[in-house]
Amino acid sequence: MIAPIRILIILCFVITGGSALWEEIAGPYDIRFSYGSNCDKRGKFNLFEPIKARKLNRTHFVYSGIFDTGAPMDDNLKVRLVASNKGTNGRYNNVVDIEMKACELVRKFGMEIITSVFDHCNQTFYCPRERFTCVMKNWTVNYNFNNVPALPYGEYRVEGSFIKIHQYNRRELISCTRYYGFITPKIPKSPKKTQQSDRMTDVSSLITP
C-alpha cells in the first residue's frame, strides 16, 4: 500500500514540474529588441552599416544607414540562424540552429521584416533576385518573425550569417550580424495603449521618406 502512494506522490511532483517548465516556454510571447552588433567573424560586407539603431521610444527603434545583402539572393546564398538563450551563469546556450536557402528562410520566418525593408526602399520584394542595396532613413525597425516555435522566456542572442556557396561546395562568409533581445510572456494590449501605438506609428511614418 505504501509503494503505490509513493508512486502517486512522485507522479504529482513530475506533473507539477512539467507544468511549470511548460509555463516557461509556452506562447504567445513578445519579442523585444535591445541592440545589434557585428559578429567576431563578420565577412566582407555588413548587412547593416552602421549597425546601431536609435530609440524612438520605449518600444520602437529607428534605423538610418545602408542595407546590403552582399550577394545575389538565389539558391547559392544560404542563411544560418543561431538563437541562444542566456543562462543563469551568464553563458549563452543554443536553442535553435538552422541553415536554409535565403529565399526559403525569408518566406518561412521573415516575410514581414523583409517586406517592411523593401516597402521603405520603395521596392517590391521577390526572390531569387540580384544583390540588393538600399540607403535607409528613419526606418522603423521591424523584428516580427513568423512561425517561430515555442521558446524559453529570457534574454537572447541571435546570430545571422549569410553564406555564399561556390563551386565544389566551397563556403564563403558574406556577412554576420548579432542581435540581442528578450522573449517575454505576451501582455494583452489595452484599447488605450493600442490607440497610442497607432498614433506613434502615424508619427514615425511622417519622418520616413
Side-chain angles (χ1 to χ4, degrees):
M1 184 65 181
I2 297 177
I5 293 176
R6 286 180 178 173
I7 293 173
L8 181 60
I9 292 173
I10 292 172
L11 285 175
C12 288
F13 275 111
V14 170
I15 293 171
T16 303
S19 299
L21 177 61
W22 176 246
E23 288 176 359
E24 291 297 316
I25 66 173
Y29 46 73
D30 288 321
I31 299 175
R32 179 162 56 89
F33 173 76
S34 295
Y35 66 96
S37 69
N38 291 309
C39 305
D40 298 332
K41 294 182 179 180
R42 55 197 293 179
K44 296 188 299 184
F45 302 96
N46 293 327
L47 187 63
F48 292 100
E49 181 60 44
I51 189 62
K52 292 183 178 180
R54 65 179 178 86
K55 269 194 171 184
L56 181 63
N57 52 39
R58 287 191 296 178
T59 58
H60 290 77
F61 286 80
V62 291
Y63 174 77
S64 297
I66 299 174
F67 176 83
D68 184 3
T69 60
M73 295 180 65
D74 53 26
D75 287 347
N76 294 318
L77 184 65
K78 290 189 174 183
V79 178
R80 183 186 179 192
L81 286 180
V82 180
S84 305
N85 179 253
K86 190 174 184 179
T88 55
N89 58 0
R91 299 181 63 180
Y92 285 92
N93 305 300
N94 293 356
V95 293
V96 175
D97 188 343
I98 59 173
E99 183 174 299
M100 299 175 62
K101 293 178 181 178
C103 295
E104 293 177 357
L105 186 138
V106 166
R107 292 192 182 101
K108 185 172 180 62
F109 299 108
M111 274 303 296
E112 189 170 343
I113 299 172
I114 200 69
T115 299
S116 174
V117 170
F118 274 73
D119 286 347
H120 182 84
C121 297
N122 296 317
Q123 296 282 332
T124 301
F125 173 73
Y126 59 88
C127 206
R129 63 171 300 136
E130 66 282 357
R131 176 180 173 181
F132 179 76
T133 304
C134 175
V135 178
M136 310 180 77
K137 184 178 180 181
N138 294 323
W139 170 60
T140 302
V141 177
N142 185 328
Y143 44 89
N144 295 323
F145 290 97
N146 309 118
N147 301 316
V148 178
L151 294 172
Y153 298 136
E155 186 174 352
Y156 274 81
R157 180 184 68 198
V158 178
E159 193 167 284
S161 304
F162 279 49
I163 303 165
K164 185 174 178 61
I165 308 300
H166 293 279
Q167 191 175 15
Y168 307 117
N169 204 35
R170 183 174 65 85
R171 297 163 65 89
E172 177 190 5
L173 178 64
I174 300 297
S175 66
C176 183
T177 310
R178 284 176 178 160
Y179 305 94
Y180 296 83
F182 293 85
I183 289 181
T184 57
K186 193 171 189 65
I187 301 174
K189 294 181 180 180
S190 66
K192 184 177 180 180
K193 288 185 178 180
T194 302
Q195 292 173 3
Q196 291 175 344
S197 177
D198 291 340
R199 286 198 295 270
M200 183 56 67
T201 300
D202 294 338
V203 169
S204 65
S205 65
L206 294 176
I207 64 175
T208 302

